[in-house]
Amino acid sequence: MTLRRVFDPFEELVRIQRELERLARLGFPVGENVEKDLERKLKFVMPIEVFETPTDLVVRVELPGVKKEDVDITIRDNYLVIRAEKKEEQEENKEHVHVVERVYGKFERVIPLPTDVDPDKAKATFKDGVLEIRFPKKSASQEKKITIE
């Protein structure tokens, strides 16, 4: 049986609201520049896909416009931490800019891993703006028959 998590925009809004409330409890400074910076950072969400095969845990992350050398991947306490930087492209002339919706800067996503993995044997690939990380499971659930003596 395959469980597939469907993106729920309302769930994402609730997550953002909780994060904003957490920042408020920490005494996050409020001001015009801080609000604009926070709004800019919240606009860039790294959509993810996490699934298991019989032997691997696979994490796929969309990083459009990010170069692979600007991505940092670490594992800490069964959490996958992905940091990325999307650098602004230098254009010749910006005198008559009409719309800017693209987001630039540093971003981070922390993903809890649902099973124990072997981080030493992890393999990451980056193709067409999609980062894929494959972790071998430490204890792949394999069925083994035990004979009675």
Side-chain angles (χ1 to χ4, degrees):
M1 180 172 139
T2 302
L3 295 177
R4 187 172 195 173
R5 186 169 182 224
V6 178
F7 175 73
D8 181 358
F10 297 108
E11 183 180 307
E12 189 65 18
L13 288 172
V14 169
R15 186 193 66 76
I16 291 170
Q17 180 181 5
R18 285 188 193 127
E19 182 64 15
L20 289 172
E21 290 170 354
R22 184 186 70 79
L23 291 172
R25 285 193 305 272
L26 293 173
F28 194 79
V30 177
E32 186 176 321
N33 292 337
V34 172
E35 288 175 4
K36 285 181 183 177
D37 188 48
L38 184 60
E39 178 183 318
R40 179 183 61 80
K41 287 180 181 177
L42 290 177
K43 282 184 181 177
F44 187 84
V45 177
M46 296 181 205
I48 65 168
E49 208 175 42
V50 179
F51 62 94
E52 291 183 46
T53 68
T55 58
D56 295 333
L57 176 71
V58 182
V59 178
R60 288 189 184 136
V61 183
E62 288 185 14
L63 296 168
V66 176
K67 296 178 182 176
K68 76 175 186 178
E69 50 272 1
D70 295 328
V71 178
D72 181 54
I73 307 164
T74 54
I75 275 207
R76 184 178 354 136
D77 300 327
N78 220 31
Y79 285 90
L80 174 64
V81 180
I82 300 173
R83 291 181 186 90
E85 182 175 4
K86 185 175 176 184
K87 297 178 181 174
E88 189 169 3
E89 300 165 0
Q90 298 298 321
E91 294 184 18
E92 294 176 19
N93 189 351
K94 285 193 170 184
E95 287 184 31
H96 301 288
V97 176
H98 296 282
V99 178
V100 177
E101 292 183 346
R102 298 179 71 195
V103 180
Y104 302 96
K106 295 181 180 182
F107 310 97
E108 180 178 292
R109 180 89 189 246
V110 179
I111 304 163
L113 299 176
T115 187
D116 288 332
V117 296
D118 186 352
D120 295 328
K121 295 182 181 174
K123 293 186 180 179
T125 58
F126 193 79
K127 183 179 179 187
D128 298 330
V130 177
L131 172 67
E132 180 177 287
I133 308 161
R134 289 187 166 268
F135 298 97
K137 294 182 195 176
K138 273 192 177 174
S139 57
S141 56
Q142 297 175 355
E143 189 174 308
K144 182 180 177 181
K145 186 166 177 106
I146 300 173
T147 56
I148 302 173
E149 296 180 20

